[in-house]
Amino acid sequence: MTYRLMGTGAALAATALLGACVSPTDGGSANGSVTQGEKVYRGVETRLLDGDLVNFDVSMSGTENKNDVADYAQCAAAQYALIRGFGFARHVRTNVAYEGGIWRADAVYTISSALPEGLRTIDAEVEVARCRDNKIPTV
């Protein structure tokens, strides 16, 4: 997996934690992908855009459902919020593309310590638990 985190020392700590999230014994591979049945989760690239605004680029194969890659991005956002010490995220937008058998999602979320305003809010702890239940890697 490739992670690009910009920011302060907290970002460096997050990088260390992110590197430990996938192991070969959990379906991981040497290149950072995670296989769950037919689905291959190919990794997450994270960029802190501005303060609480974060971009997640994720890719996967082995599915015909574009919602799977969007769910993967949401799981990454929820885990990232927890790693950074926040409890919530709010979905801003997700662009999904399919090319050469690989689904890609470019998603933007805000993260916050308090429940943000809006209809598309995520309780990070609840979402990470849902992701684990559905065998979707968080990062």
Side-chain angles (χ1 to χ4, degrees):
M1 278 187 215
T2 303
Y3 297 95
R4 289 187 302 179
L5 300 170
M6 297 178 225
T8 63
L12 294 174
T15 301
L17 288 171
L18 289 172
C21 289
V22 175
S23 71
T25 59
D26 294 329
S29 70
N31 67 3
S33 65
V34 176
T35 302
Q36 296 293 346
E38 298 282 322
K39 297 176 184 175
V40 178
Y41 297 89
R42 298 179 166 273
V44 179
E45 185 175 306
T46 306
R47 284 186 307 273
L48 182 59
L49 299 175
D50 184 35
D52 65 350
L53 194 63
V54 186
N55 176 246
F56 300 90
D57 289 318
V58 302
S59 61
M60 69 180 294
S61 57
T63 184
E64 296 300 318
N65 185 345
K66 70 179 182 179
N67 293 329
D68 287 343
V69 73
D71 286 346
Y72 184 26
Q74 184 162 307
C75 290
Q79 183 66 53
Y80 181 86
L82 293 177
I83 289 169
R84 294 293 302 255
F86 296 100
F88 300 93
R90 182 178 57 83
H91 179 255
V92 176
R93 66 132 176 96
T94 300
N95 295 320
V96 175
Y98 181 76
E99 185 178 336
I102 298 175
W103 286 96
R104 298 184 193 284
D106 171 16
V108 176
Y109 287 81
T110 60
I111 57 174
S112 62
S113 57
L115 183 64
E117 292 185 23
L119 299 175
R120 300 173 80 174
T121 59
I122 300 162
D123 180 317
E125 287 185 21
V126 171
E127 183 64 16
V128 167
R130 183 193 69 81
C131 297
R132 285 189 187 124
D133 289 345
N134 291 313
K135 297 181 176 33
I136 302 171
T138 52
V139 278

